Amino acid sequence: MNILVGVSGGVDSACVLNLLKSQGHSVIGAMMKIYDGDIKTIANSCYGTDKKKEIEDAVLVCQGADVPFYLVDLSKEFNDIVFSEFKKQYLNGLTPNPCVMCNKFIKFGLFPKAAKKMGLKFDKFATGHYARNEFNEKTHRHELKKGINPKKDQTYFLYKLSQDELKNILFPLGSMQKEDVRKYALEKNIPVAQKTDSQDFYKGDYSDLFDCDKNQGKIIDRKGNILGYHDGIWNYTIGQRKGLKIAYSEPLYVLEIDKSTNSVIVGIKDETYNKYLIANDINWIALDNPKKPFEATAKIRSASSPVEVIVYPFDDTIKVEFKNEISSIAPAQSVVLYQDDVVLGGGTIIEAH
C-alpha cells in the first residue's frame, strides 16, 4: 500500500514512518509548513519553538528510514483558517481549541489534498495520533476509538473527522503505549528517539502573540465588587485559578469573561459548577443524526476524565446534562461524547448553565 505519513519532527510520527515501512508499505514522509515567519511562535504543540530545527529533524527521520521527504506549505491557510479564528475568539472572551480546528481543516483536510496536488500518490494518510480507527461491519461505519493508553488518548482533538476522512486515515500508534513507542525508536536508532514531547500551543502573554495593545479592565465578583485588574481578557480562561494575583479568603476561579464590559468575573469553587451545557456545530461519527435522548460519557476538555451525561439532540444543537454537576465549562471549547471507547461525536460549547 502507498501511504503518506504526516511527519512533525517528533518521535511519534517518526515511529509511524518506520513501522509502516517495516510492514512492507511504500511510504512517503511529508511535513506541514504552517509558520510563515510573520506570526510569532504560535504552534508549540505542533512543531516546538524552533521551526527550522523541527524541519531538519523531520528530514533526518525520513533520510534514516530511506523514504522521500516533502514540505507542504500551508502557512497562509493555517493563518487564514485557524490562527485568525483563534485570535478572534480569544479577543471576544472565548476559549477556542486550535488543535481541533487545525486537525479538521488543515491536517486531515487541506494537507493530504495539497500533497496530491503536488503529485504525490498515496492510498492512505497516517499520523502519530494516539487513537484507533476501526470499521464496524454491523453499522458499516468507521469508528474513532480511544487509544489504549488513556493518558495519551487524543480522540478529543479528532472528533470532527468525517466518515469520508476516516476511511483514508491510519493511526498506527493507537494500540501502543508511549513507553513502547520510545523503546521502538531507540531499538531502531531513530534520530529523534529521545526528543521530548511538545505540549502547549503557546506560552506567554497573548497580547504579544496577537500583536495588540494591552487592554486593562476590572476583575470583579458576581456582585460587581472590584477585586483587581487585568491587562487583557484574552489571557484568561474559564476555571483558571493561577495568575489572578488577588488576595482573598478562599481560592478564586474565573467564572465568566465579559467582552462587553472588558471584565473578568471570578468566584469561589462552589460557584464554578454547572448542570448542563448547549453545543452547536455538531459532528456525529458513530451515530447517524440521533433524534432521541441517550446516555453517554462526555469530556469538556482534553485533560478531563469522561463523566456520565444524558444527551438531548435537537436539529442544530445538543443539550448535554451532567448526572453530577461539573466545574468550569468554557464556551468555544469542545464537548466530546463517548460510549465506552467509541467516539459518538461532539460539538462546540456555546452556553453553560
Side-chain angles (χ1 to χ4, degrees):
M1 187 185 299
N2 297 318
I3 303 175
L4 175 71
V5 176
V7 292
S8 65
V11 66
D12 294 329
S13 60
C15 282
V16 168
L17 192 82
N18 282 266
L19 276 168
L20 292 174
K21 185 172 183 186
S22 71
Q23 293 168 4
H25 300 291
S26 177
V27 178
I28 304 168
M31 183 179 195
M32 297 191 307
K33 179 177 180 286
I34 60 169
Y35 175 69
D36 61 8
D38 296 324
I39 300 173
K40 295 180 176 68
T41 310
I42 59 172
N44 295 342
S45 64
C46 297
Y47 289 160
T49 55
D50 188 340
K51 306 296 184 269
K52 184 178 178 182
K53 179 65 165 61
E54 297 302 319
I55 295 174
E56 290 173 352
D57 285 347
V59 172
L60 282 174
V61 165
C62 289
Q63 288 176 341
D66 194 25
V67 303
F69 170 82
Y70 296 89
L71 190 63
V72 182
D73 190 352
L74 293 169
S75 52
K76 182 180 185 302
E77 291 82 354
F78 183 87
N79 183 46
D80 292 347
I81 297 171
V82 178
F83 182 73
S84 61
E85 183 64 18
F86 171 75
K87 176 180 177 179
K88 174 185 172 183
Q89 292 196 33
Y90 251 112
L91 292 177
N92 279 287
L94 299 172
T95 308
N97 195 312
C99 295
V100 170
M101 292 188 284
C102 182
N103 282 333
K104 172 61 180 175
F105 297 109
I106 306 296
K107 187 170 292 182
F108 295 97
L110 293 176
F111 183 27
K113 291 177 183 177
K116 287 189 174 180
K117 284 185 179 180
M118 291 171 58
L120 305 186
K121 299 184 184 302
F122 53 94
D123 306 303
K124 300 284 185 179
F125 175 49
T127 71
H129 286 89
Y130 287 84
R132 291 175 290 160
N133 180 10
E134 299 176 4
F135 187 73
N136 187 320
E137 295 288 350
K138 291 183 179 180
T139 63
H140 299 286
R141 299 176 73 89
H142 286 270
E143 292 183 340
L144 178 64
K145 294 185 174 182
K146 296 177 185 177
I148 63 168
N149 184 344
K151 292 183 179 180
K152 295 299 295 182
D153 169 59
Q154 292 174 298
T155 52
Y156 179 88
F157 301 107
L158 301 169
Y159 79 92
K160 282 188 175 292
L161 294 177
S162 67
Q163 287 292 312
D164 283 343
E165 289 162 336
L166 285 168
K167 71 182 181 182
N168 296 313
I169 294 172
L170 299 174
F171 297 125
L173 304 186
S175 297
M176 295 181 67
Q177 300 287 351
K178 181 71 177 192
E179 295 78 10
D180 295 329
V181 171
R182 288 281 183 194
K183 183 179 178 181
Y184 178 85
L186 288 167
E187 289 174 350
K188 298 298 180 181
N189 294 314
I190 295 175
V192 294
Q194 299 191 57
K195 188 174 183 178
T196 57
D197 292 337
S198 179
Q199 297 294 333
D200 297 318
F201 180 75
Y202 178 76
K203 293 180 179 178
D205 190 321
Y206 277 159
S207 59
D208 295 331
L209 174 63
F210 298 150
D211 194 23
C212 62
D213 295 331
K214 296 181 186 295
N215 188 9
Q216 191 178 76
K218 299 172 184 176
I219 300 177
I220 60 176
D221 62 19
R222 280 259 166 86
K223 295 179 180 179
N225 298 312
I226 300 173
L227 305 180
Y229 295 89
H230 65 79
D231 288 328
I233 58 174
W234 47 83
N235 286 312
Y236 296 84
T237 59
I238 304 298
Q240 179 177 332
R241 181 171 69 89
K242 296 181 179 180
L244 298 180
K245 299 177 182 178
I246 298 172
Y248 202 74
S249 58
E250 297 182 54
L252 292 174
Y253 300 79
V254 175
L255 305 178
E256 299 174 37
I257 299 171
D258 189 340
K259 170 67 164 56
S260 64
T261 61
N262 191 30
S263 301
V264 175
I265 298 92
V266 299
I268 61 174
K269 184 69 173 179
D270 287 349
E271 296 178 87
T272 66
Y273 289 96
N274 299 100
K275 182 62 179 175
Y276 70 92
L277 64 81
I278 306 295
N280 65 3
D281 193 21
I282 310 302
N283 183 58
W284 297 111
I285 297 178
L287 302 177
D288 186 15
N289 295 321
K291 303 299 182 184
K292 297 180 179 180
F294 60 90
E295 294 187 348
T297 59
K299 293 178 69 171
I300 61 162
R301 59 182 68 89
S302 62
S304 67
S305 298
V307 295
E308 293 183 341
V309 297
I310 301 174
V311 181
Y312 299 86
F314 302 102
D315 289 341
D316 300 313
T317 62
I318 55 174
K319 174 183 175 182
V320 180
E321 185 176 290
F322 300 92
K323 292 192 175 181
N324 295 300
E325 290 188 345
I326 193 167
S327 175
S328 304
I329 299 173
Q333 282 284 302
S334 297
V335 56
V336 181
L337 306 171
Y338 296 84
Q339 203 159 63
D340 297 323
D341 286 344
V342 178
V343 177
L344 301 178
T348 303
I349 299 168
I350 54 176
E351 298 174 20
H353 297 270

